[in-house]
Amino acid sequence: MSSQDLSTLISRAERVLAQLEAWLPPAPPPINWDAVAFRWRTNGSRGWLEGVQHIASIQTEDLHHIERQKGIIERNTRHFLAGKPANNVLMTGARGTGKSSLVKAMLAKFADQGLRLIEVDKSDLGDLGTIIDLISGRPEHFIIFSDDLSFEEGEAGYKALKSVLDGSLASPGDNVLIYATSNRRHLMPEYMKENLSTSTSADGEIHPGEAVEEKVSLSERFGLWLSFYPFKQDDYLDIVYYWLGASGCPAEHIESSRMEALQWALERGSRSGRVARQFARDWTARHV
């Protein structure tokens, strides 16, 4: 082969490679370990940790009427950072009562002590093993956080999460915990027919009661369960007044907001901390 033929062949190969590269997803960016919070991002088969630039800031002092839950999760997080035994946490219960806000408040409180937060969508829980490999050996302590967690039949993330919590031969390491929130205590749906363990299921399974145990076992692998309940009317109003004051509303406007605050909650069918803060934003914008 002449040198001219070889040059032509190389040129054609370079053009083919250039066309192939155009179809491939871009290489993931380097991880910014200076960030205190991350999201797990995916593009095709690739995933990477993306630093969060603007973190939703909330302090533990901003969360009211969940003192017991706040004390337990703060104690568990302190133990984790001190290298003591600590538990994975499942927070369940009424919507808008401070479950996810409590996790963010832990980051605000302990970030300067090396706490880091990684937010992982339910659809990406199958990548937990990859995420843990990336952060193993790091000096920081990481909470992997999944919000509004629940599974339907056949979802892949269920088994990955179950394995990481307790069941895999490989330990996730001493610098990793999982905090999750859910509106239901048992993370997979259960059906009345499954409780009839003495009968044969519709698909012919001889021991359908064991399927129920399989579903409940995921929740049981969290060492701590924290339950959150709807707020009483006075508690809801107390939270409204707190956020109005934090927003700079004068006392006379705060006192006159009571009736509208109750109507606001009635229209939304919920007396929650989230609804209280939403009302406070609207009221402040109209009166300050």
Side-chain angles (χ1 to χ4, degrees):
M1 179 181 294
S2 66
S3 59
Q4 184 177 359
D5 292 338
L6 182 59
S7 297
T8 302
L9 183 61
I10 292 174
S11 178
R12 289 177 178 175
E14 289 175 344
R15 287 198 299 270
V16 171
L17 287 174
Q19 291 174 349
L20 288 174
E21 288 177 353
W23 287 95
L24 293 174
I31 300 173
N32 176 20
W33 292 113
D34 292 331
V36 298
F38 303 86
R39 290 191 186 95
W40 180 250
R41 297 296 196 189
T42 58
N43 186 349
S45 61
R46 299 185 181 183
W48 67 94
L49 289 174
E50 177 184 76
V52 177
Q53 296 182 357
H54 305 288
I55 301 172
S57 178
I58 190 164
Q59 308 297 321
T60 54
E61 295 80 8
D62 296 328
L63 303 174
H64 297 259
H65 302 292
I66 52 169
E67 298 306 318
R68 176 181 174 274
Q69 298 90 329
K70 186 162 51 174
I72 292 173
I73 198 169
E74 184 172 329
R75 181 189 66 203
N76 189 68
T77 306
R78 285 188 185 276
H79 290 169
F80 175 50
L81 291 170
K84 297 179 179 181
N87 280 303
N88 300 302
V89 181
L90 175 63
M91 290 169 277
T92 64
R95 65 188 188 274
T97 49
K99 299 186 293 295
S100 58
S101 293
L102 194 49
V103 179
K104 298 170 188 173
M106 291 300 101
L107 178 65
K109 191 175 186 69
F110 296 113
D112 59 350
Q113 299 181 34
L115 185 66
R116 301 293 182 264
L117 188 67
I118 300 175
E119 187 174 17
V120 181
D121 290 338
K122 181 185 72 169
S123 58
D124 294 325
L125 287 175
D127 295 334
L128 277 177
T130 301
I131 297 170
I132 290 172
D133 288 343
L134 286 173
I135 61 180
S136 63
R138 294 287 308 176
E140 303 90 351
H141 286 71
F142 294 88
I143 289 176
I144 296 177
F145 173 51
S146 188
D147 194 23
D148 198 17
L149 189 64
S150 64
F151 296 98
E152 300 300 329
E153 294 285 353
E155 289 195 67
Y158 166 78
K159 290 188 179 292
L161 177 59
K162 185 177 176 182
S163 178
V164 169
L165 286 170
D166 185 15
S168 173
L169 181 63
S171 168
D174 295 331
N175 70 332
V176 181
L177 281 183
I178 295 176
Y179 286 5
T181 71
S182 178
N183 290 332
R184 63 189 188 195
R185 189 173 183 181
H186 293 155
L187 301 177
M188 291 190 70
E190 296 180 71
Y191 305 99
M192 182 62 71
K193 64 180 181 181
E194 293 176 337
N195 291 315
L196 305 177
S197 57
T198 57
S199 64
T200 303
S201 64
D203 58 2
E205 184 177 354
I206 298 176
H207 302 291
E210 293 180 0
V212 178
E213 293 297 322
E214 166 73 10
K215 294 181 176 184
V216 174
S217 69
L218 176 59
S219 299
E220 289 185 343
R221 295 189 184 211
F222 287 90
L224 284 177
W225 287 7
L226 297 178
S227 298
F228 291 71
Y229 304 97
F231 293 127
K232 296 179 293 184
Q233 177 173 296
D234 289 345
D235 295 341
Y236 164 74
L237 288 172
D238 182 57
I239 297 171
V240 168
Y241 299 157
Y242 170 81
W243 285 116
L244 287 173
S247 301
C249 270
E252 60 271 18
H253 287 167
I254 293 176
E255 293 174 0
S256 62
S257 68
R258 184 180 187 276
M259 187 59 66
E260 280 197 38
L262 293 176
Q263 291 174 345
W264 184 279
L266 185 63
E267 290 171 356
R268 283 152 183 79
S270 172
R271 291 194 299 258
S272 70
R274 179 184 297 137
V275 170
R277 192 173 188 184
Q278 290 168 347
F279 170 78
R281 288 171 177 162
D282 179 77
W283 180 269
T284 302
R286 290 186 286 118
H287 294 86
V288 175

